[in-house]
Amino acid sequence: MKRAVLLYNPQAGKGEIERNIPHIIRIFNDVEYDLTPIRLMFDRNPFDGWEDVDLAVVAGGDGTINYVVNALMTKGLSVALAVIP
């Protein structure tokens, strides 16, 4: 099974994403991804300790996506990226 992280901003979408995490995990499990949800903390790199993931799923708006892409670049990682708006 491939490893993935769900990086989400709990403020985005009026908290809708946080309520749907179990459903999102099941969807990714069905396609052979072990998805770990990680609530973003904007004062640290969300990839610390997760440098070997196969996929990063980002849930949030433009600012969240920008933050995650910059975090990837800071680490020098080349990881597939999926977005849940």
Side-chain angles (χ1 to χ4, degrees), residues 5-12 17-18 21 36-48 50 56-72 81-82 84:
V5 289
L6 169 61
L7 305 171
Y8 69 97
N9 179 352
Q11 304 300 325
I17 200 71
E18 200 161 35
I21 287 175
T36 301
I38 298 173
R39 177 185 267 213
L40 284 173
M41 301 176 95
F42 293 95
D43 60 345
R44 65 179 182 90
N45 192 313
F47 293 99
D48 288 344
W50 296 96
V57 181
V58 183
D62 295 348
T64 303
I65 295 165
N66 181 58
Y67 180 77
V68 170
V69 168
N70 282 313
L72 279 169
L81 186 68
I84 300 174

